[in-house]
Amino acid sequence: MTNPYCQTLGIAVPDLAAVKDHSEANTYSLLIAALLERGEAMTLSEVARRFAAAGVASEAQALASLQRSRPARPPVYRDGDRYALDPRDDEADLWAFRLGLRPPKATPLRVVRPEPPPLPGPEVPLTVDELREAWKGLPLFGSWSNRRVAVAVLDAHRGPLRPEEAVAFVASVTRWQCRDAEEHQLGRRGSPVRVREDGSWELVPGHEAVAAARRAVRERLAQVRKWEALRPDPAVIEAQKRAYERRRAARAAELAGLRRVVLRAFPAGSPEAVVLVDAGARSLQTYGKEDFGALRESLAGYDVIGAEGVRPLLASLGFDPGDRRLAELGPPQKSKTLNRRGKILKITTALLARGSCAIPRPFGDEGKLRGYLRDGETARFHQRLEADARSLFALYEYGRLHGAVRLQWGFLDEMLPVPWVHRDESRLFDLKRQAASEERPLEVVEGFAPSWSDPWARARRCYVERDSDGFTLWLVDKTGRVLDDRSVQAARLEDEGHGGSEGERT
């Protein structure tokens, strides 16, 4: 018997008893392991019995713990009283890695450093290279006296130095300031440093402080080399980073080539009509109940199917999605606590569409839609349902661009991550980073959802500027106004094929 979950993830079928003692094991992760082991949906009672058989907990304790663990969250979803796993969800692959069910995709970094040569004793003078290596980035004040620093510098330079030369050398290596000899008691009786007639500093031969300074520097140097040996080679880190970027770019190109469709149906439980939105062609097709056979044939040509309540909808249509990717476009979070008194805001798809895409009335009133059906006003019913489908598609595209949707209500204004975007897909941040590195402008549509007939009609040319920290990227239009990323509805790199409107190109 094949296990479709493990087959999709490319892993061996796990044994729950072997996973239960893993450091990442908890009730929710063991639920995922149990589903991976079974390869099909299970009720919580069945999972609890499996927990008891594997020695995780008693059946009663396991069931109570499972009910408290919020089991219906990605990559697990609820199908009636059964819970199933979506192996195409990013989280399924991540949990397989966390539980040790698959190896890491990147080769672990290995520290390969040659053994450093043994350090000489205090009878050997210091060298400039030793000081640079030992003091690099070290704040010397506090633990190192200025006199000891001066002794070490003079010893390494093998002769007298003017004060400004000694200070300049140390300042080039670490954070240390020394303004004059008197301030640091140089040249006094018993000092290891004496001041010559021309004002330069030199060591007193044979002073015991010289050997002490050599020991202190080399003890610090031994620590630095010990820590350095534990760090991966920077060249290896850079190679790993480049390999990751190549894998991510290849994965993003693969995901960008998937055929995607968004469905809007009414009524949700038993559809009388379904609107199909082809994301690539940006086209609409409405199917009445009598045309659902043709709808199923159309759906067979897509790789990604998105809808609100996508799994129950496909079940009601009699369509088996197989191993296709399913995008659940319902709210990623059901509610939000607003204050300490416990006032709860119910999060709906309409609320998210208004906040994300600035569509005042994204979806039609259900009562009116039922009235159109009752009165046989098919044309008006289809027209309203198609408008709903365009709003849902706008929300879907906004989520793909940002990896999240925007929740705005009163004082609330926050982004909620959505489950229908793969972590390797290109998002607005990736576009900004590419535009900054290539010094290319972006075409940006902001404010409200793009026009259906001409989505780039309101596009404006924007440039990417780096903040003083070197990491934050700002979108700036030609007037110098900084755009709020959350208001961006669509973005693409400008090229010769689509260079924006004439007004923006001037």
Side-chain angles (χ1 to χ4, degrees), residues 147 150-151 154 186-188 191-195 201-204:
R147 190 175 75 170
V151 169
L154 293 172
L186 304 182
R188 296 185 178 184
S191 171
V193 178
R194 60 190 175 200
V195 181
W201 298 344
E202 67 176 357
L203 287 176
V204 175

Side-chain angles (χ1 to χ4, degrees), residues 116-360:
L119 294 172
E123 69 282 355
V124 179
L126 296 169
T127 66
V128 171
D129 289 339
E130 285 179 325
L131 293 187
R132 292 188 184 279
E133 186 178 354
W135 288 351
K136 184 179 180 181
L138 177 68
L140 294 177
F141 50 84
S143 58
W144 288 67
S145 68
N146 290 324
R147 190 175 75 170
R148 174 166 287 182
V149 172
V151 169
V153 171
L154 293 172
D155 185 48
H157 284 81
R158 303 289 200 277
L161 289 176
R162 298 194 60 78
E164 58 270 19
E165 293 174 335
V167 171
F169 170 77
V170 180
S172 68
V173 177
T174 186
R175 299 189 294 275
W176 181 74
Q177 291 184 351
C178 176
R179 287 182 288 274
D180 55 52
E182 182 63 27
E183 180 182 351
H184 305 299
Q185 301 179 359
L186 304 182
R188 296 185 178 184
R189 180 181 297 179
S191 171
V193 178
R194 60 190 175 200
V195 181
R196 299 172 55 172
E197 292 183 0
D198 60 359
S200 61
W201 298 344
E202 67 176 357
L203 287 176
V204 175
H207 198 287
E208 61 182 7
V210 177
R214 291 171 180 172
R215 280 193 295 269
V217 170
R218 285 174 177 142
E219 286 175 3
R220 166 67 185 175
L221 185 55
Q223 289 181 341
V224 168
R225 290 180 175 178
K226 178 181 177 181
W227 296 336
E228 191 67 25
L230 299 176
R231 299 188 185 101
D233 190 332
V236 175
I237 295 176
E238 186 61 29
Q240 291 276 26
K241 181 180 177 181
R242 288 195 299 268
Y244 167 76
E245 293 293 344
R246 287 194 298 270
R247 288 195 304 271
R248 187 170 185 268
R251 186 63 172 149
E254 178 187 342
L255 293 168
L258 298 178
R259 292 196 63 198
R260 302 169 185 265
V261 66
V262 171
L263 302 179
R264 181 68 177 179
F266 188 84
S270 179
E272 292 292 330
V274 176
V275 178
L276 182 152
V277 184
D278 187 305
R282 203 175 178 86
S283 61
L284 291 172
Q285 181 67 42
T286 304
Y287 295 87
K289 199 167 187 177
E290 67 281 1
D291 301 320
F292 283 179
L295 172 60
R296 289 189 288 269
E297 292 180 5
S298 297
L299 290 176
Y302 292 96
D303 306 304
V304 182
I305 302 175
E308 191 175 4
V310 60
R311 291 179 176 86
L313 172 59
L314 294 179
S316 67
L317 294 174
F319 180 78
D320 181 7
D323 63 349
R324 289 176 178 81
R325 294 180 177 274
L326 301 181
E328 174 53 61
L329 305 187
Q333 183 176 322
K334 302 301 181 184
S335 61
K336 176 76 175 179
T337 303
L338 298 177
N339 53 37
R340 294 182 180 178
R341 296 179 180 178
K343 184 178 180 181
I344 303 296
L345 171 66
K346 183 180 179 181
I347 302 174
T348 64
T349 308
L351 182 62
L352 296 176
R354 282 194 295 269
S356 303
C357 307
I359 305 174

